[in-house]
Amino acid sequence: MPRDHRPAKSIRVLLAEDQGMMRGALALLLGMEADIQVVAQVGAGDQIVDAALIHRPDVALLDIELPGKSGLDAAAELRDQAPDCRVLILTTFGRPGYLRRAMEAGAAGFLVKDGPVEELASCIRRALTGETVIDPALAAAALGAGPNPLTSRECDVLSASADGATVADIAAALHLSESTVRNYLSSAIGKTGTRNRMEALREARQQGWV
């Protein structure tokens, strides 16, 4: 809709999505809503906070899996650095652990990407009124899955073990002793019911715990 037909106060939206075609399409569709204006688009997680501080959006729509930094980590930073910005997490992956982590990061909503844009626009408006908007199927799955059994340190160690990192590499990266790293890995393997740390990491990612 032409700018002069918009309400005096449009809802300012920041969009973070690493797939350029999807980002552009979503920005175009949201921009057709009379009361919504996409003021910033970024393709990496480590660009989100800077863009929010420059453009001052009312709502940030964040994908979870972004290069540079996850949308969940960026949501937590926005809560501290741009507290007036409401965050909605958009994801293709409806993993129960992601929903819990999104809420812990202060997100105002958690939605799947394949919903109609009219529904997304409605959720943006509802989030600005103070509502928490969550996809019903994701909420049901999260309630049925139970809590994350891993401690934050176990999650850190598992995440650091990706890409073939050795125990020594993990210890150096996290400023821990090698024996402590082995203990965390052993505990995480036991809690996930897996046989080794790579299986434990795979299971933790599948559940959305890391």
Side-chain angles (χ1 to χ4, degrees):
M1 180 172 289
R3 193 175 186 81
D4 56 0
H5 288 175
R6 291 179 179 275
K9 178 68 170 70
S10 293
I11 300 170
R12 298 170 60 82
V13 171
L14 178 152
L15 179 58
E17 162 63 55
D18 62 330
Q19 297 182 32
M21 186 175 294
M22 179 174 287
R23 184 173 68 245
L26 189 54
L28 179 63
L29 289 170
L30 285 174
M32 295 174 69
E33 296 290 318
D35 58 342
I36 293 176
Q37 179 184 9
V38 178
V39 296
Q41 300 179 46
V42 299
D46 49 10
Q47 299 171 346
I48 292 172
V49 172
D50 285 346
L53 294 176
I54 292 170
H55 296 282
R56 296 294 176 182
D58 302 303
V59 175
L61 302 179
L62 310 183
D63 190 12
I64 289 181
E65 299 192 355
L66 294 166
K69 182 177 296 180
S70 79
L72 296 173
D73 290 336
E77 291 188 8
L78 285 176
R79 177 187 56 197
D80 297 332
Q81 299 193 43
D84 292 335
C85 178
R86 301 282 281 172
V87 173
L88 295 179
I89 299 294
L90 289 179
T91 183
T92 306
F93 307 102
R95 295 169 182 165
Y98 281 167
L99 174 54
R100 293 178 184 275
R101 290 169 60 196
M103 296 301 101
E104 289 169 0
F110 192 87
L111 307 164
V112 291
K113 288 182 182 178
D114 58 2
V117 71
E118 295 83 5
E119 184 176 318
L120 176 57
S122 174
C123 289
I124 289 172
R125 299 181 189 107
R126 288 164 58 195
L128 275 185
T129 69
E131 278 191 60
T132 298
V133 287
I134 300 173
D135 181 274
L138 295 180
L143 288 172
N148 178 3
L150 303 175
T151 67
S152 60
R153 232 13 179 162
E154 288 165 354
C155 289
D156 291 342
V157 168
L158 275 185
S159 296
S161 71
D163 302 320
T166 66
V167 169
D169 292 335
I170 299 168
L174 298 179
H175 307 291
L176 299 171
S177 70
E178 292 186 25
S179 62
T180 298
V181 168
R182 290 191 184 93
N183 288 339
Y184 282 135
L185 288 173
S186 177
S187 179
I189 291 167
K191 288 179 179 179
T192 55
T194 53
R195 296 173 297 179
N196 55 57
R197 60 176 172 160
M198 296 315 297
E199 287 187 4
L201 176 59
R202 191 178 306 118
E203 175 66 15
R205 282 178 169 170
Q206 184 62 35
Q207 295 295 331
W209 296 332
V210 300

